[in-house]
Amino acid sequence: MEVSNSMNQWQWHYRPPGPQTTGSEATSPRPNPVRHRDDDYLLELVLQVHQRLLRDVDVAQIERLDPDHAHAAVEMAARALLGEVAPHVVGELRDEVVTAVVNEVLGYGPIDPLIRDPAVSEVMVNGPREVYFERDGIIHLSDVRFRDHAHIMRIAERIIAPLGRRVDEASPMVDARLPDGSRVNIIIPPVAPDSPIITIRKFRSDKLTMDQLIQGGTLPREWAIFLEACVKARLNILISGGAGTGKTTFLNALSAYIPERERIITIEDPLELRLQQPHVVRLEARPPNLEGKNEVTQRDLFRNALRMRPDRIIVGEVRGPEAFDMMQAMNTGHEGSMSTIHANSPRDALARLENMILMAGFDLPVQAIREQMASALHIIVQMARHSDGRRRVVSICEITGMEGRTVTMQELFRFEPRGVSHDGRVLGDFVAMGLRPRCVDRFQAAGVKVPTNLFMAEVALERW
């Protein structure tokens, strides 16, 4: 079976079935028409048609077509081959088989519909019969099935092959970025002894603004006004939270307050930020090649960024020795920087940051590191994902200095939970703690006006 593409016209030319497709092998695996959906039978049909298609069709030639023609070509071939393999299969099951074959050839196999669903934010393959997805912050078990572990491995290899990466026993873990910006992590046996595991965090094509976050209950407008002042007054901000709490989304929204006249350099591993200013230079870390060479770390990028005349440096996520260089830059004139960090509280964020600086390999006393942190950082924004799936800002703290060997801070705002409603929603109040921030003086020096009633503690700012 061959395909030609001339003047945007294409058609199929069928070769007569060879001896392998005659006799018993060309008959259906079931003698009677299918009346009920059977997942195992569906997977068996997909396997047979897919194997025939790989044998009889030049898939490499199809992949050179534009996406629409490639999809139509594979669909036509799959329908023709299914008619040979299982002529009794008709209706809905026939369409399901054809769609699944197209996904096997051109997409991500069984998980392709989940990847294409805009409401799904994460896809997690734990095993052939355990495929989960996240929607609206809540994880669900899907009805997606793989045939076996080998099927998962084939899809894993299909995902990373175009990225120039490999996964095998010598390199059992891969962390990469898909062409659309989604993050993929793959880990295989023997490191994951039960099954190859695929985790895909999908990239949001839309940019959530601060107004949208306010409307969605992430934070009240008063907090956004305060954070806008912090950004315009060039305070250094660290956004802290656990995995999946919305740190990157919040950083994207917060960056909209940076004046357009400033030059911004972002450092990421991998690329996730989608800033809204015109003058943005994006840098991305690079893993080592197959020989273990040519790695470019975030620390390398940070050192280079300092030579690129940045007004602000934004690190997508600080996770290693680059924390030392970031603190140095914040203390030497590159203020207004922002980053995220994995931590469960503002105090934990400081402890993690301290450990990362120690990873840089400098023989610095802990006291000196803490003094640097107290001098460099101004605001820590803590985020959390609650049981109802909603992501919220739960605390905003200001670093106030040192007291002995301890970095001191004061909490300015807090989300106080009140319980759970009958439909599972977490209820609570966004409250001000009644403290006047020390950074108000910096607001005044920068000409940024902030209403003084933002910090009053008499009433809740907003209720949810």
Side-chain angles (χ1 to χ4, degrees):
M1 192 178 290
E2 299 172 350
V3 63
S4 63
N5 184 21
S6 174
M7 299 296 291
N8 293 325
Q9 299 295 318
W10 52 270
Q11 58 182 351
W12 286 100
H13 304 287
Y14 290 95
R15 292 198 300 261
Q20 300 94 333
T21 61
T22 61
S24 60
E25 290 182 32
T27 61
S28 164
R30 285 192 178 183
N32 299 320
V34 179
R35 293 185 174 85
H36 301 284
R37 165 151 181 186
D38 184 326
D39 284 341
D40 291 334
Y41 183 51
L42 173 65
L43 292 171
E44 183 182 350
L45 284 175
V46 173
L47 174 62
Q48 291 188 30
V49 175
H50 184 222
Q51 289 179 335
R52 281 285 306 276
L53 191 146
L54 293 177
R55 188 187 68 196
D56 296 349
V57 176
D58 186 354
V59 176
Q61 186 179 358
I62 292 176
E63 291 177 340
R64 288 194 290 269
L65 300 175
D66 64 82
D68 290 339
H69 283 152
H71 186 280
V74 173
E75 182 176 346
M76 179 182 291
R79 288 189 181 279
L81 292 170
L82 180 58
E84 297 177 14
V85 171
H88 62 276
V89 174
V90 294
E92 183 179 343
L93 180 59
R94 181 185 184 88
D95 292 338
E96 285 191 55
V97 173
V98 171
T99 299
V101 172
V102 173
N103 291 338
E104 290 286 335
V105 177
L106 300 176
Y108 298 128
I111 60 175
D112 196 81
L114 293 175
I115 299 295
R116 296 180 183 277
D117 186 344
V120 172
S121 57
E122 197 141 1
V123 179
M124 297 149 278
V125 180
N126 296 350
R129 306 281 171 170
E130 296 178 42
V131 179
Y132 293 85
F133 65 93
E134 181 185 81
R135 178 183 286 131
D136 297 328
I138 299 175
I139 294 178
H140 307 270
L141 176 64
S142 77
D143 59 359
V144 171
R145 300 290 182 265
F146 285 82
R147 288 188 301 275
D148 48 32
H149 295 153
H151 190 191
I152 300 177
M153 277 298 301
R154 195 184 66 77
I155 296 302
E157 290 166 354
R158 173 166 180 78
I159 290 172
I160 63 173
L163 310 177
R165 308 290 295 276
R166 72 174 188 186
V167 59
D168 51 32
E169 286 192 9
S171 179
M173 297 182 292
V174 173
D175 196 15
R177 176 172 53 87
L178 299 179
D180 68 350
S182 299
R183 291 173 54 180
V184 58
N185 178 271
I186 297 172
I187 182 168
I188 67 171
V191 179
D194 296 328
S195 169
I197 297 172
I198 303 173
T199 307
I200 298 176
R201 174 171 291 183
K202 292 172 56 180
F203 178 74
R204 290 187 65 105
S205 58
D206 57 328
K207 302 176 185 178
L208 288 181
T209 65
M210 191 61 74
D211 283 340
Q212 289 174 315
L213 294 179
I214 292 169
Q215 293 169 10
T218 300
L219 76 168
R221 188 166 299 278
E222 290 84 355
W223 294 13
I225 292 172
F226 170 75
L227 292 173
E228 178 182 3
C230 292
V231 173
K232 291 181 175 178
R234 301 184 65 84
L235 272 62
N236 296 319
I237 301 173
L238 187 63
I239 301 172
S240 169
T245 54
K247 300 184 297 297
T248 302
T249 298
F250 193 79
L251 179 56
N252 269 324
L254 194 61
S255 69
Y257 296 132
I258 299 175
E260 292 190 354
R261 65 180 180 274
E262 296 187 13
R263 175 177 169 89
I264 307 168
I265 297 179
T266 66
I267 298 171
E268 300 180 77
D269 181 19
L271 289 176
E272 287 186 299
L273 295 174
R274 301 185 73 231
L275 304 191
Q276 303 168 38
Q277 283 73 13
H279 197 166
V280 178
V281 178
R282 304 199 301 167
L283 305 179
E284 182 181 29
R286 183 179 68 188
N289 59 21
L290 298 180
E291 289 76 33
K293 301 178 181 179
N294 300 327
E295 179 182 16
V296 179
T297 66
Q298 287 199 113
R299 189 173 188 190
D300 297 329
L301 295 177
F302 204 100
R303 291 171 175 171
N304 190 81
L306 295 175
R307 305 184 183 100
M308 298 173 67
R309 199 261 174 222
D311 286 308
R312 299 186 193 238
I313 299 176
I314 296 180
V315 181
E317 181 186 338
V318 59
R319 61 179 68 170
E322 69 274 3
F324 174 80
D325 302 280
M326 186 174 73
M327 291 296 103
Q328 291 285 93
M330 289 177 174
N331 275 315
T332 54
H334 294 88
E335 294 185 324
S337 298
M338 291 182 273
S339 183
T340 72
I341 190 171
H342 274 82
N344 293 325
S345 69
R347 183 60 64 183
D348 287 345
L350 292 179
R352 285 213 67 203
L353 200 60
E354 180 181 315
N355 290 334
M356 292 175 188
I357 295 173
L358 290 171
M359 290 169 58
F362 295 101
D363 189 16
L364 293 174
V366 172
Q367 180 74 8
I369 293 175
R370 293 177 180 175
E371 287 174 355
Q372 268 205 351
M373 291 165 51
S375 173
L377 288 176
H378 301 114
I379 299 292
I380 299 180
V381 178
Q382 184 66 39
M383 303 200 66
R385 180 173 60 179
H386 290 128
S387 58
D388 58 359
R390 179 169 290 170
R391 297 163 172 86
R392 294 182 176 90
V393 177
V394 295
S395 178
I396 298 178
C397 294
E398 179 187 35
I399 305 298
T400 56
M402 292 285 295
E403 193 171 290
R405 294 172 56 87
T406 303
V407 178
T408 57
M409 66 175 73
Q410 61 179 3
E411 189 174 37
L412 304 177
F413 303 100
R414 179 192 301 167
F415 176 77
E416 295 184 345
R418 287 186 286 107
V420 180
S421 68
H422 66 279
D423 56 354
R425 291 186 301 113
V426 174
L427 305 176
D429 301 320
F430 292 104
V431 299
M433 306 307 294
L435 300 173
R436 181 183 185 275
R438 297 188 180 187
C439 58
V440 167
D441 296 334
R442 292 192 55 150
F443 296 163
Q444 295 172 349
V448 179
K449 295 182 179 180
V450 176
T452 56
N453 61 356
L454 285 184
F455 313 109
M456 296 174 59
E458 281 77 7
V459 295
L461 295 174
E462 196 164 335
R463 305 198 98 193
W464 282 88

